[in-house]
Amino acid sequence: MSTRSGLVDRHIAFVEALRGAGLSVSLAEDLDAIAVLGALDWTDRDVVREGYAASLVKRQAQRPTFEALFDLYFPRMVGGGAASLDPDAGSGEESGEESGDDATASPVRDNAAALSAFREQLAEALAADDRQRLQQLAAEMVGRFGAMPGRGPGLSSWSAYTALQRVAPSELVAQIVAGLLAEGLTQEEAERGAGRRVGAFTAQVEADARRRIAEEKGADHVANVALRPSIERLDFMAARRSDLEEMRREIYPLARRLATRLTQEQHARRRGPLDFRRTVRASMSTGGVPIATHHRPKRPHRTELVVLCDVSGSVANFAQFTLLLVFALRDQFQKVRAFTFIDQVHEVTPYFKPGADVVDVMSDLAASTTHAALWGRTNYGRALGRFAEEHPDAVGPKTSLLVLGDARSNYSDLNEAVLRELAGTARHAWWLNPEHRRHWGTGDSAAAAYGDIVPMVECRNLTQLAEFVHDLTT
């Protein structure tokens, strides 16, 4: 029998899951959390959660990931919740008012009348914004309407999607809005409040489904395969509309942190190479012992950056956030020029004027008809050729060339000779690809061919993007 405490094992697993999801938890912070929890009352789950959050969460953007993982490793209930304490729960006839859940998911009760009754209870709770009752209803909803029997041993038997499709809480918005209007709210305020309440309830349903699956498969399994990563590690290609808005909010804080880090590193490297003659000459006054070293002045150097960016639909989100970050850090470069293409090249540098809102700039570019493809399909070979013809002075020996795109060129001519000439002229050249490395070279991907000419780097999320830009500017 293991001599390790179950609580210690759960704490270690929780911290490892946070690290796996993108939260940087150091050993010191791990020990701080243990010290904090040693001073708290463990009978109050909310107090425990806030103690963990104060020790381990550094930014508000990380809080949703922390909350989801905390609910997995320290769930508010087990099994069917309150229904599991009811001696009649096995009959499948318990009332939703008497129990917080129906763990048996009885098909007898799961009929049109039961569904209608449940939706009425849900509408009342949403209109009253009864948080405790909504938590109970979320668990009951998954137990009664999200069960998926007959999928075989070892397979997940709970589905938030199924429960939400059958109950359809989004269809209750009109009832909630009517109740809020009766309280004196405006139409806009009522609609916004109703949407927020339904969204919060949907998140509770998803969390309860994850909790149940974690009991069957283990919390580690759910953390690895079913939980969305933190916003900094979410793939550009998989981001939803709400994720995109959060990513935009993260760009500027990310740029500030990165700029501060770069400035500190540049100050640390301010001294140039050792001036041996001056050092030896100065040591004569101390009997030949070099007490103080002397260094040659370091030449200031900032790179010119040229960004050549694929803005076709498949990689538009990736291109947008890369340009946002690069232009947020434009003070780190001597000069930045940006070009977008699908099959025709357009310079967009003038759009990024000092003081301009880069988000608005990107929206204008996305809506501009002048940046549409002439032939309607991505063609890297044609775009590279037009770039070399129309902007021959863009790339020089002081330039770093950065190509952004998935290298999928619809089986067209790749024009590799032009890219090889551009890379040979530039001081440095890189290619950022938002696709997973395992997809490179599949289908119409020319990643292998272009990667032989220009070093290609996988860049699928904000974390990888920040790491690359840091290396680019140092």
Side-chain angles (χ1 to χ4, degrees), residues 254-284:
L254 178 63
R256 286 195 297 269
R257 292 195 302 271
L258 195 53
T260 300
R261 178 180 172 188
L262 292 170
T263 301
Q264 292 172 345
E265 293 180 1
Q266 288 167 0
H267 287 172
R269 297 192 304 268
R270 183 173 292 172
R271 295 190 305 181
L274 179 69
D275 189 329
F276 184 75
R277 289 187 177 182
R278 290 183 61 199
T279 301
V280 171
R281 189 178 299 115
S283 70
M284 296 301 180

Side-chain angles (χ1 to χ4, degrees), residues 201-275:
F201 178 74
T202 299
Q204 290 177 330
V205 172
E206 294 172 344
D208 193 76
R210 288 195 298 266
R211 174 188 66 80
R212 292 171 182 269
I213 297 172
E215 288 185 19
E216 297 179 356
K217 304 274 249 175
D220 293 341
H221 170 80
V222 178
N224 290 332
V225 303
L227 190 66
R228 289 174 67 82
S230 64
I231 197 67
E232 293 178 347
R233 294 205 173 190
L234 182 65
D235 281 11
F236 294 120
M237 315 282 271
R240 300 177 298 199
R241 184 182 298 272
S242 59
D243 298 324
L244 298 179
E245 293 299 326
E246 189 173 354
M247 283 182 176
R248 290 190 186 100
R249 290 193 296 269
E250 279 294 294
I251 281 291
Y252 287 112
L254 178 63
R256 286 195 297 269
R257 292 195 302 271
L258 195 53
T260 300
R261 178 180 172 188
L262 292 170
T263 301
Q264 292 172 345
E265 293 180 1
Q266 288 167 0
H267 287 172
R269 297 192 304 268
R270 183 173 292 172
R271 295 190 305 181
L274 179 69
D275 189 329

Side-chain angles (χ1 to χ4, degrees), residues 252 327-331 333-336 348-359 361:
Y252 287 112
F327 275 90
L329 288 169
R330 55 182 173 266
D331 290 342
F333 303 96
Q334 182 176 340
K335 183 170 65 174
V336 178
V348 296
T349 309
Y351 283 82
F352 295 91
K353 300 175 183 177
D357 187 329
V358 184
V359 175
V361 169

Side-chain angles (χ1 to χ4, degrees), residues 79-148:
S84 63
L85 303 178
D86 186 348
D88 298 327
S91 66
E93 297 294 326
E94 64 271 24
S95 168
E97 296 179 356
E98 297 175 354
S99 65
D101 191 12
D102 184 346
T104 58
S106 171
V108 176
R109 294 294 306 275
D110 185 13
N111 52 39
L115 178 60
S116 178
F118 180 85
R119 296 182 84 238
E120 289 180 6
Q121 296 180 43
L122 178 58
E124 293 175 1
L126 286 170
D129 199 19
D130 187 341
R131 307 283 178 87
Q132 183 175 359
R133 181 58 178 152
L134 288 171
Q135 186 68 52
Q136 295 172 349
L137 289 173
E140 181 181 348
M141 178 172 156
V142 176
R144 294 177 60 184
F145 306 108
M148 301 179 66

Side-chain angles (χ1 to χ4, degrees), residues 293-310:
T293 60
H294 294 266
H295 298 260
R296 298 190 183 97
K298 188 173 182 180
R299 293 183 179 179
H301 172 73
R302 287 196 300 172
T303 306
E304 295 180 3
L305 181 64
V306 170
V307 184
L308 187 57
C309 186
D310 179 1

